[in-house]
PDB file of all heavy atoms in Angstrom:
ATOM      1  N   ALA A   1       0.828  -1.180   0.008  1.00 99.00           N
ATOM      2  CA  ALA A   1      -0.020   0.025   0.025  1.00 99.00           C
ATOM      3  C   ALA A   1       0.878   1.248   0.004  1.00 99.00           C
ATOM      4  O   ALA A   1       2.077   1.140   0.181  1.00 99.00           O
ATOM      5  CB  ALA A   1      -0.945   0.008   1.219  1.00 99.00           C
ATOM      6  N   ARG A   2       0.249   2.428  -0.188  1.00 98.00           N
ATOM      7  CA  ARG A   2       1.087   3.599  -0.245  1.00 98.00           C
ATOM      8  C   ARG A   2       1.616   4.006   1.124  1.00 98.00           C
ATOM      9  O   ARG A   2       2.654   4.737   1.181  1.00 98.00           O
ATOM     10  CB  ARG A   2       0.238   4.809  -0.800  1.00 98.00           C
ATOM     11  CG  ARG A   2      -0.081   4.691  -2.228  1.00 98.00           C
ATOM     12  CD  ARG A   2      -0.813   5.871  -2.802  1.00 98.00           C
ATOM     13  NE  ARG A   2      -2.163   5.886  -2.338  1.00 98.00           N
ATOM     14  CZ  ARG A   2      -3.162   5.207  -2.866  1.00 98.00           C
ATOM     15  NH1 ARG A   2      -2.933   4.378  -3.853  1.00 98.00           N
ATOM     16  NH2 ARG A   2      -4.418   5.322  -2.443  1.00 98.00           N
ATOM     17  N   ASP A   3       0.980   3.607   2.202  1.00 98.00           N
ATOM     18  CA  ASP A   3       1.504   3.900   3.572  1.00 98.00           C
ATOM     19  C   ASP A   3       1.231   2.822   4.526  1.00 98.00           C
ATOM     20  O   ASP A   3       0.652   1.778   4.165  1.00 98.00           O
ATOM     21  CB  ASP A   3       0.815   5.293   3.972  1.00 98.00           C
ATOM     22  CG  ASP A   3      -0.689   5.271   3.979  1.00 98.00           C
ATOM     23  OD1 ASP A   3      -1.266   4.123   4.014  1.00 98.00           O
ATOM     24  OD2 ASP A   3      -1.289   6.285   3.892  1.00 98.00           O
ATOM     25  N   VAL A   4       1.672   3.017   5.727  1.00 98.00           N
ATOM     26  CA  VAL A   4       1.610   1.964   6.781  1.00 98.00           C
ATOM     27  C   VAL A   4       0.106   1.697   7.061  1.00 98.00           C
ATOM     28  O   VAL A   4      -0.226   0.456   7.225  1.00 98.00           O
ATOM     29  CB  VAL A   4       2.311   2.419   8.026  1.00 98.00           C
ATOM     30  CG1 VAL A   4       2.137   1.382   9.196  1.00 98.00           C
ATOM     31  CG2 VAL A   4       3.803   2.669   7.793  1.00 98.00           C
ATOM     32  N   ALA A   5      -0.765   2.655   7.112  1.00 98.00           N
ATOM     33  CA  ALA A   5      -2.146   2.464   7.424  1.00 98.00           C
ATOM     34  C   ALA A   5      -2.732   1.566   6.340  1.00 98.00           C
ATOM     35  O   ALA A   5      -3.579   0.647   6.654  1.00 98.00           O
ATOM     36  CB  ALA A   5      -2.935   3.762   7.488  1.00 98.00           C
ATOM     37  N   GLY A   6      -2.366   1.777   5.095  1.00 98.00           N
ATOM     38  CA  GLY A   6      -2.885   0.947   4.021  1.00 98.00           C
ATOM     39  C   GLY A   6      -2.414  -0.514   4.114  1.00 98.00           C
ATOM     40  O   GLY A   6      -3.165  -1.425   3.866  1.00 98.00           O
ATOM     41  N   VAL A   7      -1.187  -0.707   4.534  1.00 98.00           N
ATOM     42  CA  VAL A   7      -0.647  -2.089   4.675  1.00 98.00           C
ATOM     43  C   VAL A   7      -1.470  -2.748   5.818  1.00 98.00           C
ATOM     44  O   VAL A   7      -1.834  -3.939   5.659  1.00 98.00           O
ATOM     45  CB  VAL A   7       0.837  -2.028   4.991  1.00 98.00           C
ATOM     46  CG1 VAL A   7       1.338  -3.451   5.404  1.00 98.00           C
ATOM     47  CG2 VAL A   7       1.620  -1.627   3.732  1.00 98.00           C
ATOM     48  N   SER A   8      -1.725  -2.052   6.898  1.00 98.00           N
ATOM     49  CA  SER A   8      -2.505  -2.618   7.983  1.00 98.00           C
ATOM     50  C   SER A   8      -3.896  -2.968   7.519  1.00 98.00           C
ATOM     51  O   SER A   8      -4.438  -4.076   7.927  1.00 98.00           O
ATOM     52  CB  SER A   8      -2.529  -1.632   9.134  1.00 98.00           C
ATOM     53  OG  SER A   8      -1.260  -1.468   9.692  1.00 98.00           O
ATOM     54  N   LEU A   9      -4.489  -2.064   6.656  1.00 98.00           N
ATOM     55  CA  LEU A   9      -5.814  -2.422   6.111  1.00 98.00           C
ATOM     56  C   LEU A   9      -5.688  -3.669   5.262  1.00 98.00           C
ATOM     57  O   LEU A   9      -6.613  -4.561   5.261  1.00 98.00           O
ATOM     58  CB  LEU A   9      -6.297  -1.241   5.303  1.00 98.00           C
ATOM     59  CG  LEU A   9      -6.810  -0.076   6.087  1.00 98.00           C
ATOM     60  CD1 LEU A   9      -7.125   1.110   5.088  1.00 98.00           C
ATOM     61  CD2 LEU A   9      -8.017  -0.383   6.916  1.00 98.00           C
ATOM     62  N   GLY A  10      -4.561  -3.809   4.502  1.00 98.00           N
ATOM     63  CA  GLY A  10      -4.373  -5.021   3.648  1.00 98.00           C
ATOM     64  C   GLY A  10      -4.309  -6.273   4.509  1.00 98.00           C
ATOM     65  O   GLY A  10      -4.830  -7.326   4.119  1.00 98.00           O
ATOM     66  N   MET A  11      -3.647  -6.138   5.660  1.00 98.00           N
ATOM     67  CA  MET A  11      -3.535  -7.392   6.531  1.00 98.00           C
ATOM     68  C   MET A  11      -4.910  -7.617   7.073  1.00 98.00           C
ATOM     69  O   MET A  11      -5.298  -8.785   7.277  1.00 98.00           O
ATOM     70  CB  MET A  11      -2.555  -7.093   7.666  1.00 98.00           C
ATOM     71  CG  MET A  11      -1.144  -7.368   7.370  1.00 98.00           C
ATOM     72  SD  MET A  11      -0.768  -9.133   6.845  1.00 98.00           S
ATOM     73  CE  MET A  11      -1.153 -10.030   8.345  1.00 98.00           C
ATOM     74  N   GLY A  12      -5.765  -6.609   7.251  1.00 98.00           N
ATOM     75  CA  GLY A  12      -7.127  -6.867   7.728  1.00 98.00           C
ATOM     76  C   GLY A  12      -7.983  -7.575   6.673  1.00 98.00           C
ATOM     77  O   GLY A  12      -8.892  -8.335   7.003  1.00 98.00           O
ATOM     78  N   LEU A  13      -7.606  -7.404   5.379  1.00 98.00           N
ATOM     79  CA  LEU A  13      -8.284  -8.193   4.309  1.00 98.00           C
ATOM     80  C   LEU A  13      -7.878  -9.582   4.328  1.00 98.00           C
ATOM     81  O   LEU A  13      -8.658 -10.534   3.988  1.00 98.00           O
ATOM     82  CB  LEU A  13      -8.014  -7.533   2.946  1.00 98.00           C
ATOM     83  CG  LEU A  13      -8.500  -6.152   2.668  1.00 98.00           C
ATOM     84  CD1 LEU A  13      -8.027  -5.759   1.285  1.00 98.00           C
ATOM     85  CD2 LEU A  13     -10.035  -6.024   2.796  1.00 98.00           C
ATOM     86  N   ILE A  14      -6.655  -9.873   4.772  1.00 98.00           N
ATOM     87  CA  ILE A  14      -6.119 -11.257   4.852  1.00 98.00           C
ATOM     88  C   ILE A  14      -6.578 -11.920   6.196  1.00 98.00           C
ATOM     89  O   ILE A  14      -6.956 -13.124   6.167  1.00 98.00           O
ATOM     90  CB  ILE A  14      -4.573 -11.244   4.788  1.00 98.00           C
ATOM     91  CG1 ILE A  14      -4.151 -10.707   3.357  1.00 98.00           C
ATOM     92  CG2 ILE A  14      -4.004 -12.594   5.069  1.00 98.00           C
ATOM     93  CD1 ILE A  14      -2.681 -10.443   3.249  1.00 98.00           C
ATOM     94  N   GLU A  15      -6.520 -11.136   7.228  1.00 98.00           N
ATOM     95  CA  GLU A  15      -6.856 -11.606   8.554  1.00 98.00           C
ATOM     96  C   GLU A  15      -7.897 -10.700   9.197  1.00 98.00           C
ATOM     97  O   GLU A  15      -7.483  -9.645   9.727  1.00 98.00           O
ATOM     98  CB  GLU A  15      -5.659 -11.760   9.484  1.00 98.00           C
ATOM     99  CG  GLU A  15      -4.709 -12.899   9.187  1.00 98.00           C
ATOM    100  CD  GLU A  15      -3.624 -13.017  10.230  1.00 98.00           C
ATOM    101  OE1 GLU A  15      -3.627 -12.234  11.248  1.00 98.00           O
ATOM    102  OE2 GLU A  15      -2.774 -13.845  10.053  1.00 98.00           O
ATOM    103  N   PRO A  16      -9.194 -10.874   9.106  1.00 98.00           N
ATOM    104  CA  PRO A  16     -10.145  -9.992   9.752  1.00 98.00           C
ATOM    105  C   PRO A  16      -9.880  -9.811  11.199  1.00 98.00           C
ATOM    106  O   PRO A  16      -9.538 -10.673  11.958  1.00 98.00           O
ATOM    107  CB  PRO A  16     -11.489 -10.769   9.544  1.00 98.00           C
ATOM    108  CG  PRO A  16     -11.231 -11.601   8.343  1.00 98.00           C
ATOM    109  CD  PRO A  16      -9.764 -12.061   8.399  1.00 98.00           C
ATOM    110  N   GLY A  17      -9.902  -8.494  11.553  1.00 97.00           N
ATOM    111  CA  GLY A  17      -9.591  -8.077  12.927  1.00 97.00           C
ATOM    112  C   GLY A  17      -8.145  -7.808  13.202  1.00 97.00           C
ATOM    113  O   GLY A  17      -7.768  -7.407  14.304  1.00 97.00           O
ATOM    114  N   PHE A  18      -7.305  -7.892  12.190  1.00 98.00           N
ATOM    115  CA  PHE A  18      -5.850  -7.559  12.347  1.00 98.00           C
ATOM    116  C   PHE A  18      -5.709  -6.125  12.820  1.00 98.00           C
ATOM    117  O   PHE A  18      -6.379  -5.205  12.305  1.00 98.00           O
ATOM    118  CB  PHE A  18      -5.056  -7.667  11.108  1.00 98.00           C
ATOM    119  CG  PHE A  18      -3.600  -7.372  11.178  1.00 98.00           C
ATOM    120  CD1 PHE A  18      -2.676  -8.326  11.619  1.00 98.00           C
ATOM    121  CD2 PHE A  18      -3.182  -6.120  10.928  1.00 98.00           C
ATOM    122  CE1 PHE A  18      -1.352  -7.960  11.698  1.00 98.00           C
ATOM    123  CE2 PHE A  18      -1.849  -5.786  11.037  1.00 98.00           C
ATOM    124  CZ  PHE A  18      -0.982  -6.633  11.414  1.00 98.00           C
ATOM    125  N   ALA A  19      -4.883  -5.883  13.892  1.00 98.00           N
ATOM    126  CA  ALA A  19      -4.669  -4.494  14.339  1.00 98.00           C
ATOM    127  C   ALA A  19      -3.186  -4.346  14.746  1.00 98.00           C
ATOM    128  O   ALA A  19      -2.648  -5.232  15.407  1.00 98.00           O
ATOM    129  CB  ALA A  19      -5.587  -4.211  15.546  1.00 98.00           C
ATOM    130  N   PRO A  20      -2.550  -3.230  14.324  1.00 98.00           N
ATOM    131  CA  PRO A  20      -1.173  -3.026  14.804  1.00 98.00           C
ATOM    132  C   PRO A  20      -1.014  -2.914  16.227  1.00 98.00           C
ATOM    133  O   PRO A  20      -1.951  -2.479  16.932  1.00 98.00           O
ATOM    134  CB  PRO A  20      -0.796  -1.652  14.102  1.00 98.00           C
ATOM    135  CG  PRO A  20      -1.783  -1.516  12.994  1.00 98.00           C
ATOM    136  CD  PRO A  20      -3.056  -2.163  13.490  1.00 98.00           C
ATOM    137  N   ALA A  21       0.093  -3.302  16.846  1.00 98.00           N
ATOM    138  CA  ALA A  21       0.361  -3.165  18.246  1.00 98.00           C
ATOM    139  C   ALA A  21       1.239  -1.871  18.411  1.00 98.00           C
ATOM    140  O   ALA A  21       2.247  -1.698  17.698  1.00 98.00           O
ATOM    141  CB  ALA A  21       1.121  -4.354  18.741  1.00 98.00           C
ATOM    142  N   PRO A  22       0.910  -0.944  19.311  1.00 95.00           N
ATOM    143  CA  PRO A  22       1.747   0.258  19.539  1.00 95.00           C
ATOM    144  C   PRO A  22       3.146  -0.132  19.849  1.00 95.00           C
ATOM    145  O   PRO A  22       3.406  -1.044  20.604  1.00 95.00           O
ATOM    146  CB  PRO A  22       1.063   0.976  20.654  1.00 95.00           C
ATOM    147  CG  PRO A  22      -0.386   0.416  20.684  1.00 95.00           C
ATOM    148  CD  PRO A  22      -0.258  -0.955  20.212  1.00 95.00           C
ATOM    149  N   TYR A  23       4.124   0.619  19.280  1.00 95.00           N
ATOM    150  CA  TYR A  23       5.470   0.301  19.526  1.00 95.00           C
ATOM    151  C   TYR A  23       5.947   0.879  20.894  1.00 95.00           C
ATOM    152  O   TYR A  23       5.598   1.972  21.278  1.00 95.00           O
ATOM    153  CB  TYR A  23       6.418   0.923  18.484  1.00 95.00           C
ATOM    154  CG  TYR A  23       7.869   0.513  18.592  1.00 95.00           C
ATOM    155  CD1 TYR A  23       8.300  -0.732  18.183  1.00 95.00           C
ATOM    156  CD2 TYR A  23       8.810   1.396  19.191  1.00 95.00           C
ATOM    157  CE1 TYR A  23       9.634  -1.145  18.368  1.00 95.00           C
ATOM    158  CE2 TYR A  23      10.083   1.045  19.392  1.00 95.00           C
ATOM    159  CZ  TYR A  23      10.489  -0.200  18.960  1.00 95.00           C
ATOM    160  OH  TYR A  23      11.815  -0.569  19.117  1.00 95.00           O
ATOM    161  N   ASP A  24       6.653   0.028  21.661  1.00 95.00           N
ATOM    162  CA  ASP A  24       7.170   0.456  22.989  1.00 95.00           C
ATOM    163  C   ASP A  24       8.378   1.247  22.792  1.00 95.00           C
ATOM    164  O   ASP A  24       9.449   0.714  22.494  1.00 95.00           O
ATOM    165  CB  ASP A  24       7.385  -0.834  23.772  1.00 95.00           C
ATOM    166  CG  ASP A  24       7.950  -0.546  25.199  1.00 95.00           C
ATOM    167  OD1 ASP A  24       8.180   0.674  25.542  1.00 95.00           O
ATOM    168  OD2 ASP A  24       8.203  -1.442  25.920  1.00 95.00           O
ATOM    169  N   PRO A  25       8.418   2.558  23.090  1.00 93.00           N
ATOM    170  CA  PRO A  25       9.623   3.365  22.862  1.00 93.00           C
ATOM    171  C   PRO A  25      10.783   2.987  23.807  1.00 93.00           C
ATOM    172  O   PRO A  25      11.905   3.364  23.580  1.00 93.00           O
ATOM    173  CB  PRO A  25       9.160   4.785  23.133  1.00 93.00           C
ATOM    174  CG  PRO A  25       7.929   4.649  24.029  1.00 93.00           C
ATOM    175  CD  PRO A  25       7.276   3.319  23.591  1.00 93.00           C
ATOM    176  N   GLY A  26      10.504   2.150  24.833  1.00 94.00           N
ATOM    177  CA  GLY A  26      11.536   1.688  25.695  1.00 94.00           C
ATOM    178  C   GLY A  26      12.403   0.508  25.149  1.00 94.00           C
ATOM    179  O   GLY A  26      13.486   0.211  25.634  1.00 94.00           O
ATOM    180  N   ARG A  27      11.939  -0.009  24.019  1.00 96.00           N
ATOM    181  CA  ARG A  27      12.643  -1.153  23.407  1.00 96.00           C
ATOM    182  C   ARG A  27      13.620  -0.573  22.305  1.00 96.00           C
ATOM    183  O   ARG A  27      13.335   0.373  21.643  1.00 96.00           O
ATOM    184  CB  ARG A  27      11.641  -2.141  22.746  1.00 96.00           C
ATOM    185  CG  ARG A  27      10.637  -2.838  23.638  1.00 96.00           C
ATOM    186  CD  ARG A  27      11.379  -3.729  24.619  1.00 96.00           C
ATOM    187  NE  ARG A  27      12.227  -4.731  23.956  1.00 96.00           N
ATOM    188  CZ  ARG A  27      11.809  -5.788  23.330  1.00 96.00           C
ATOM    189  NH1 ARG A  27      10.522  -6.124  23.278  1.00 96.00           N
ATOM    190  NH2 ARG A  27      12.690  -6.631  22.808  1.00 96.00           N
ATOM    191  N   THR A  28      14.655  -1.257  22.156  1.00 98.00           N
ATOM    192  CA  THR A  28      15.689  -0.838  21.200  1.00 98.00           C
ATOM    193  C   THR A  28      15.499  -1.564  19.831  1.00 98.00           C
ATOM    194  O   THR A  28      14.815  -2.506  19.768  1.00 98.00           O
ATOM    195  CB  THR A  28      17.129  -1.166  21.660  1.00 98.00           C
ATOM    196  OG1 THR A  28      17.160  -2.615  21.951  1.00 98.00           O
ATOM    197  CG2 THR A  28      17.471  -0.430  22.942  1.00 98.00           C
ATOM    198  N   VAL A  29      16.178  -0.945  18.817  1.00 98.00           N
ATOM    199  CA  VAL A  29      16.184  -1.531  17.525  1.00 98.00           C
ATOM    200  C   VAL A  29      17.575  -1.962  17.201  1.00 98.00           C
ATOM    201  O   VAL A  29      18.566  -1.252  17.446  1.00 98.00           O
ATOM    202  CB  VAL A  29      15.772  -0.470  16.444  1.00 98.00           C
ATOM    203  CG1 VAL A  29      16.060  -0.958  15.010  1.00 98.00           C
ATOM    204  CG2 VAL A  29      14.271  -0.232  16.476  1.00 98.00           C
ATOM    205  N   GLY A  30      17.743  -3.212  16.782  1.00 98.00           N
ATOM    206  CA  GLY A  30      19.057  -3.735  16.423  1.00 98.00           C
ATOM    207  C   GLY A  30      19.294  -3.449  14.957  1.00 98.00           C
ATOM    208  O   GLY A  30      18.638  -3.926  14.061  1.00 98.00           O
ATOM    209  N   ARG A  31      20.385  -2.619  14.656  1.00 98.00           N
ATOM    210  CA  ARG A  31      20.647  -2.237  13.289  1.00 98.00           C
ATOM    211  C   ARG A  31      21.702  -3.270  12.762  1.00 98.00           C
ATOM    212  O   ARG A  31      22.814  -3.293  13.151  1.00 98.00           O
ATOM    213  CB  ARG A  31      21.262  -0.827  13.335  1.00 98.00           C
ATOM    214  CG  ARG A  31      21.887  -0.361  12.035  1.00 98.00           C
ATOM    215  CD  ARG A  31      20.787  -0.307  10.871  1.00 98.00           C
ATOM    216  NE  ARG A  31      21.349   0.563   9.763  1.00 98.00           N
ATOM    217  CZ  ARG A  31      21.984   0.112   8.684  1.00 98.00           C
ATOM    218  NH1 ARG A  31      22.159  -1.250   8.535  1.00 98.00           N
ATOM    219  NH2 ARG A  31      22.415   0.970   7.772  1.00 98.00           N
ATOM    220  N   LEU A  32      21.102  -4.135  11.905  1.00 98.00           N
ATOM    221  CA  LEU A  32      22.047  -5.118  11.343  1.00 98.00           C
ATOM    222  C   LEU A  32      23.001  -4.474  10.355  1.00 98.00           C
ATOM    223  O   LEU A  32      22.670  -3.756   9.425  1.00 98.00           O
ATOM    224  CB  LEU A  32      21.216  -6.224  10.516  1.00 98.00           C
ATOM    225  CG  LEU A  32      20.436  -7.224  11.434  1.00 98.00           C
ATOM    226  CD1 LEU A  32      19.793  -8.220  10.489  1.00 98.00           C
ATOM    227  CD2 LEU A  32      21.423  -7.908  12.366  1.00 98.00           C
ATOM    228  N   ARG A  33      24.364  -4.742  10.549  1.00 98.00           N
ATOM    229  CA  ARG A  33      25.354  -4.255   9.721  1.00 98.00           C
ATOM    230  C   ARG A  33      25.857  -5.350   8.834  1.00 98.00           C
ATOM    231  O   ARG A  33      26.389  -6.406   9.315  1.00 98.00           O
ATOM    232  CB  ARG A  33      26.526  -3.724  10.540  1.00 98.00           C
ATOM    233  CG  ARG A  33      26.238  -2.452  11.430  1.00 98.00           C
ATOM    234  CD  ARG A  33      25.951  -1.211  10.598  1.00 98.00           C
ATOM    235  NE  ARG A  33      25.441  -0.170  11.399  1.00 98.00           N
ATOM    236  CZ  ARG A  33      25.019   1.061  10.936  1.00 98.00           C
ATOM    237  NH1 ARG A  33      25.015   1.158   9.614  1.00 98.00           N
ATOM    238  NH2 ARG A  33      24.633   1.943  11.716  1.00 98.00           N
ATOM    239  N   ILE A  34      25.701  -5.204   7.522  1.00 98.00           N
ATOM    240  CA  ILE A  34      26.107  -6.215   6.604  1.00 98.00           C
ATOM    241  C   ILE A  34      27.199  -5.558   5.744  1.00 98.00           C
ATOM    242  O   ILE A  34      26.905  -4.787   4.745  1.00 98.00           O
ATOM    243  CB  ILE A  34      24.912  -6.640   5.635  1.00 98.00           C
ATOM    244  CG1 ILE A  34      23.728  -6.991   6.483  1.00 98.00           C
ATOM    245  CG2 ILE A  34      25.366  -7.861   4.765  1.00 98.00           C
ATOM    246  CD1 ILE A  34      23.863  -8.053   7.530  1.00 98.00           C
ATOM    247  N   PRO A  35      28.442  -5.786   6.022  1.00 95.00           N
ATOM    248  CA  PRO A  35      29.555  -4.939   5.453  1.00 95.00           C
ATOM    249  C   PRO A  35      29.620  -5.166   3.945  1.00 95.00           C
ATOM    250  O   PRO A  35      29.466  -6.263   3.451  1.00 95.00           O
ATOM    251  CB  PRO A  35      30.785  -5.481   6.151  1.00 95.00           C
ATOM    252  CG  PRO A  35      30.306  -6.091   7.395  1.00 95.00           C
ATOM    253  CD  PRO A  35      29.000  -6.681   7.079  1.00 95.00           C
ATOM    254  N   GLY A  36      29.933  -4.005   3.257  1.00 94.00           N
ATOM    255  CA  GLY A  36      30.268  -4.123   1.833  1.00 94.00           C
ATOM    256  C   GLY A  36      29.115  -4.341   0.881  1.00 94.00           C
ATOM    257  O   GLY A  36      29.344  -4.680  -0.301  1.00 94.00           O
ATOM    258  N   VAL A  37      27.892  -4.298   1.307  1.00 97.00           N
ATOM    259  CA  VAL A  37      26.731  -4.518   0.467  1.00 97.00           C
ATOM    260  C   VAL A  37      26.070  -3.248   0.088  1.00 97.00           C
ATOM    261  O   VAL A  37      26.007  -2.906  -1.147  1.00 97.00           O
ATOM    262  CB  VAL A  37      25.735  -5.490   1.198  1.00 97.00           C
ATOM    263  CG1 VAL A  37      24.515  -5.655   0.304  1.00 97.00           C
ATOM    264  CG2 VAL A  37      26.436  -6.786   1.472  1.00 97.00           C
ATOM    265  N   ALA A  38      25.453  -2.471   0.931  1.00 97.00           N
ATOM    266  CA  ALA A  38      24.752  -1.273   0.609  1.00 97.00           C
ATOM    267  C   ALA A  38      25.774  -0.073   0.323  1.00 97.00           C
ATOM    268  O   ALA A  38      26.775  -0.009   0.963  1.00 97.00           O
ATOM    269  CB  ALA A  38      23.788  -0.877   1.694  1.00 97.00           C
ATOM    270  N   GLU A  39      25.267   0.739  -0.621  1.00 98.00           N
ATOM    271  CA  GLU A  39      26.054   1.954  -0.888  1.00 98.00           C
ATOM    272  C   GLU A  39      26.071   2.800   0.435  1.00 98.00           C
ATOM    273  O   GLU A  39      25.076   2.829   1.183  1.00 98.00           O
ATOM    274  CB  GLU A  39      25.441   2.703  -1.953  1.00 98.00           C
ATOM    275  CG  GLU A  39      25.545   2.064  -3.301  1.00 98.00           C
ATOM    276  CD  GLU A  39      24.880   2.826  -4.430  1.00 98.00           C
ATOM    277  OE1 GLU A  39      24.189   3.896  -4.145  1.00 98.00           O
ATOM    278  OE2 GLU A  39      24.963   2.404  -5.633  1.00 98.00           O
ATOM    279  N   PRO A  40      27.207   3.518   0.734  1.00 98.00           N
ATOM    280  CA  PRO A  40      27.203   4.346   1.978  1.00 98.00           C
ATOM    281  C   PRO A  40      26.041   5.322   2.135  1.00 98.00           C
ATOM    282  O   PRO A  40      25.497   5.490   3.234  1.00 98.00           O
ATOM    283  CB  PRO A  40      28.536   5.057   1.814  1.00 98.00           C
ATOM    284  CG  PRO A  40      29.373   4.172   1.008  1.00 98.00           C
ATOM    285  CD  PRO A  40      28.504   3.578   0.039  1.00 98.00           C
ATOM    286  N   ALA A  41      25.607   5.919   1.030  1.00 98.00           N
ATOM    287  CA  ALA A  41      24.481   6.867   1.116  1.00 98.00           C
ATOM    288  C   ALA A  41      23.198   6.178   1.579  1.00 98.00           C
ATOM    289  O   ALA A  41      22.372   6.742   2.306  1.00 98.00           O
ATOM    290  CB  ALA A  41      24.305   7.626  -0.204  1.00 98.00           C
ATOM    291  N   ILE A  42      22.993   4.924   1.130  1.00 98.00           N
ATOM    292  CA  ILE A  42      21.783   4.207   1.528  1.00 98.00           C
ATOM    293  C   ILE A  42      21.837   3.854   2.948  1.00 98.00           C
ATOM    294  O   ILE A  42      20.863   4.072   3.766  1.00 98.00           O
ATOM    295  CB  ILE A  42      21.678   2.929   0.685  1.00 98.00           C
ATOM    296  CG1 ILE A  42      21.534   3.221  -0.776  1.00 98.00           C
ATOM    297  CG2 ILE A  42      20.485   2.088   1.165  1.00 98.00           C
ATOM    298  CD1 ILE A  42      20.206   3.888  -1.209  1.00 98.00           C
ATOM    299  N   ASP A  43      23.004   3.285   3.456  1.00 98.00           N
ATOM    300  CA  ASP A  43      23.186   3.035   4.852  1.00 98.00           C
ATOM    301  C   ASP A  43      22.953   4.303   5.714  1.00 98.00           C
ATOM    302  O   ASP A  43      22.296   4.313   6.752  1.00 98.00           O
ATOM    303  CB  ASP A  43      24.541   2.491   5.164  1.00 98.00           C
ATOM    304  CG  ASP A  43      24.656   0.962   5.140  1.00 98.00           C
ATOM    305  OD1 ASP A  43      23.579   0.305   5.349  1.00 98.00           O
ATOM    306  OD2 ASP A  43      25.669   0.402   4.729  1.00 98.00           O
ATOM    307  N   ALA A  44      23.504   5.430   5.247  1.00 98.00           N
ATOM    308  CA  ALA A  44      23.360   6.669   6.023  1.00 98.00           C
ATOM    309  C   ALA A  44      21.891   7.126   6.098  1.00 98.00           C
ATOM    310  O   ALA A  44      21.437   7.662   7.133  1.00 98.00           O
ATOM    311  CB  ALA A  44      24.274   7.738   5.406  1.00 98.00           C
ATOM    312  N   ALA A  45      21.229   6.995   5.008  1.00 98.00           N
ATOM    313  CA  ALA A  45      19.752   7.404   4.963  1.00 98.00           C
ATOM    314  C   ALA A  45      18.922   6.528   5.923  1.00 98.00           C
ATOM    315  O   ALA A  45      18.082   7.096   6.684  1.00 98.00           O
ATOM    316  CB  ALA A  45      19.258   7.271   3.560  1.00 98.00           C
ATOM    317  N   VAL A  46      19.227   5.255   5.924  1.00 98.00           N
ATOM    318  CA  VAL A  46      18.486   4.326   6.841  1.00 98.00           C
ATOM    319  C   VAL A  46      18.850   4.658   8.341  1.00 98.00           C
ATOM    320  O   VAL A  46      17.948   4.792   9.195  1.00 98.00           O
ATOM    321  CB  VAL A  46      18.811   2.883   6.542  1.00 98.00           C
ATOM    322  CG1 VAL A  46      18.361   1.954   7.652  1.00 98.00           C
ATOM    323  CG2 VAL A  46      18.155   2.511   5.230  1.00 98.00           C
TER     324      VAL A  46
END
């Protein structure tokens, strides 16, 4: 879909009642580093 809300609606078409779970800001994100694959500008943007 064009945005996150649209993807969630799409999941609702697949699984009636599907609903996103609010993200806990106290949890961390693990940034996987895969050396030598992505262009530096792509890694920097992410």
Side-chain angles (χ1 to χ4, degrees):
R2 285 185 292 280
D3 54 23
V4 177
V7 170
S8 296
L9 288 172
M11 276 301 295
L13 295 179
I14 295 171
E15 288 186 2
F18 178 89
Y23 186 79
D24 178 0
R27 298 293 308 281
T28 56
V29 167
R31 172 63 162 95
L32 284 184
R33 297 289 173 189
I34 314 299
V37 176
E39 294 178 354
I42 298 292
D43 268 332
V46 167

